[in-house]
Amino acid sequence: MPLPKSPAATDASPVTSWRPAAEQVIEAGRDGFARAYVAAARGARRLARASGLIAALDRRRHRRFPLFLRSLFAVHDIDELDRLDLPWWTFGAIERVDAFLREREGAARAFEWGAGASTLWLSRRCREVVSVEHDAPWWPPLATRLAAVPNVRASLVEPRAAAAPECPSGRAGWSGVEFAPYVHAIRDAGGPFDLIVIDGRARAACLDEAVHHLAPGGLIVFDNTHRRRYEPAIARSGLRVERIGGFAPAVPWPSQTALLSRT
Ligand SMILES: C[S@@+](CC[C@H](N)C(=O)[O-])C[C@H]1O[C@@H](n2cnc3c(N)ncnc32)[C@H](O)[C@@H]1O
């Protein structure tokens, strides 16, 4: 399906070139907070390493709470999160998905919107992982790491400006951005999939699409379902929903990850 075009933008225009100034200010504030938080965590990590705290937590990381504390020093550090063997979902959900994949003895095939440490985590537990990422600045370091993993097929599918997006993002500052090619990437990915992870952008549209690509007995992992804007999509999916709240790696506030299935 051809992408809708706004009069002010073409498919070739970068998203940031046309976004209204006010929205860019909101985004900049959010990004500024994230950068400050990551910088503070890096500083704290140097102190924690020097004091022996990191080593002490590493020795105890088979238990959930020390592992959570250890992960706080690994925010936005894919290599550390990989060493800790952690995707960015709530700890309860990680354990449930781990058990789901162990039952399938490495034979499961997974599709994921929103690549990162989770992609590496899945690659160790699945026969094949297909992952789609939207974030161009995040892509080069990620792609380098994923290229070394033979059972991962990952691609960057960037959003485009559009007046009336078919697959919008509900995130502040992203109205009028088209994610349809990103959402529809699953159509050519060789499904159905035993596991589908929704942890990127345009999550409501991703869920609408995911239900058509889920293998019998399959599971959908939908992260950050504490955000109310995802509720209509969850309701219309008709799937059984199990919500697993609690802490997730690398951030000091609670979240919620939902597991959706047909039975
Ligand atoms: C919501 S996160 C989830 C990533 C993945 N599903 C996981 O569990 O690790 C996805 C977004 O966070 C950002 N991101 C994730 N890891 C990052 C890192 N280590 N450094 C910078 N940005 C990161 C990127 O913008 C990416 O599109």
Side-chain angles (χ1 to χ4, degrees):
M1 180 182 298
L3 292 176
K5 290 185 178 66
S6 93
T10 69
D11 282 354
S13 61
V15 165
T16 46
S17 68
W18 56 272
R19 262 200 276 163
E23 291 183 343
Q24 291 203 28
V25 170
I26 293 168
E27 281 285 288
R30 182 177 295 181
D31 291 350
F33 172 77
R35 271 198 301 277
Y37 180 78
V38 171
R42 292 284 184 281
R45 184 167 68 186
R46 281 192 289 279
L47 294 176
R49 216 180 276 290
S51 70
L53 177 60
I54 294 280
L57 291 173
D58 275 340
R59 284 195 296 277
R60 291 166 180 79
R61 70 181 194 217
H62 53 281
R63 287 170 34 213
R64 193 190 281 188
F65 189 62
L67 180 59
F68 165 63
L69 290 181
R70 176 66 184 84
S71 74
L72 293 175
F73 298 106
V75 64
H76 274 202
D77 184 333
I78 188 171
D79 295 321
E80 285 247 298
L81 287 170
D82 186 32
R83 269 195 293 281
L84 296 172
D85 198 25
L86 287 172
W88 215 349
W89 317 320
T90 59
F91 280 95
I94 295 171
E95 287 169 15
R96 292 292 303 278
V97 177
D98 191 37
F100 173 86
L101 294 175
R102 265 190 279 117
E103 275 170 25
R104 280 145 191 83
E105 300 179 336
R109 299 180 66 241
F111 182 92
E112 172 188 59
W113 284 283
S118 57
T119 319
L120 297 165
W121 186 90
L122 288 168
S123 75
R124 290 188 281 274
R125 291 163 174 84
C126 296
R127 178 157 59 90
E128 186 187 6
V129 184
V130 184
S131 191
V132 181
E133 175 58 40
H134 79 281
D135 187 352
W138 169 227
W139 178 247
L142 183 63
T144 304
R145 285 160 178 86
L146 297 181
V149 188
N151 62 336
V152 170
R153 266 191 292 142
S155 53
L156 173 69
V157 183
E158 288 188 79
R160 293 283 179 234
E166 179 192 353
C167 298
S169 166
R171 190 174 164 138
W174 287 77
S175 60
V177 180
E178 178 62 272
F179 281 89
Y182 168 87
V183 171
H184 296 161
I186 194 171
R187 294 180 182 176
D188 302 318
F193 295 95
D194 305 293
L195 185 77
I196 299 179
V197 180
I198 301 172
D199 196 14
R201 290 297 173 84
R203 296 186 193 194
C206 289
L207 180 57
D208 290 342
E209 187 66 33
V211 295
H212 303 297
H213 305 277
L214 190 64
L219 189 69
I220 295 177
V221 179
F222 194 136
D223 199 27
N224 306 117
T225 45
H226 55 280
R227 296 175 189 154
R228 295 174 65 90
R229 65 177 184 266
Y230 301 142
E231 287 310 310
I234 291 172
R236 70 177 171 262
S237 76
L239 298 173
R240 189 175 73 100
V241 187
E242 184 184 355
R243 296 169 190 273
I244 306 181
F247 284 100
V251 285
W253 47 80
S255 179
Q256 186 187 85
T257 304
L259 304 182
L260 295 89
S261 57
R262 287 219 169 81
T263 53

